[in-house]
Amino acid sequence: MTHEKRTSRSAKLLYRPWGLVGSLLGGLIAGQVFQQVWKRVDPQATDDPPKPLQSEYRLRKILVAAMVQGAIFSVVRALIDRGGALAFERWTGEWPGD
């Protein structure tokens, strides 16, 4: 069962700064989560996860790191975006999306 929530153009505009701060915060949180997860995925790693232009790593390892990082960033962003929208709706009575 889905239903559209009440929204207005002004709610969307007022939400933009909140969304921007949430995105920045989400990026920081996701980066920290990824670092911790990567240590468990590759226990012998002593440095940061491999980057695409680091020739000392095999492509497979670089792709695994990219997939894990992408998944974490997507989930964290979805959680923060949704939580921010719900908080905004509680405070204003209007949904900032759609």
Side-chain angles (χ1 to χ4, degrees), residues 53-66:
L53 298 179
Q54 291 180 302
S55 62
E56 64 270 22
Y57 295 105
R58 295 183 56 163
L59 179 60
R60 181 175 185 262
K61 190 171 203 171
I62 290 170
L63 293 178
V64 169

Side-chain angles (χ1 to χ4, degrees), residues 17-60:
W18 176 260
L20 180 62
V21 169
S23 291
L24 293 172
L25 180 62
L28 294 172
I29 291 169
Q32 293 300 312
V33 170
F34 174 61
Q35 292 290 336
Q36 296 304 311
V37 169
W38 185 253
K39 288 178 187 176
R40 287 173 178 78
V41 169
D42 187 9
Q44 66 247 30
T46 57
D47 296 333
D48 290 334
K51 297 189 177 32
L53 298 179
Q54 291 180 302
S55 62
E56 64 270 22
Y57 295 105
R58 295 183 56 163
L59 179 60
R60 181 175 185 262

Side-chain angles (χ1 to χ4, degrees), residues 6-21:
R6 196 176 107 201
T7 190
S8 69
R9 186 175 179 168
S10 62
K12 289 180 183 182
L13 290 173
L14 288 172
Y15 181 74
R16 282 188 181 174
W18 176 260
L20 180 62
V21 169

Side-chain angles (χ1 to χ4, degrees), residues 77-94:
R77 181 171 182 201
L79 288 170
I80 287 181
D81 285 351
R82 188 61 171 210
L86 289 168
F88 184 86
E89 182 185 36
R90 263 185 260 126
W91 295 333
T92 67
E94 293 193 55

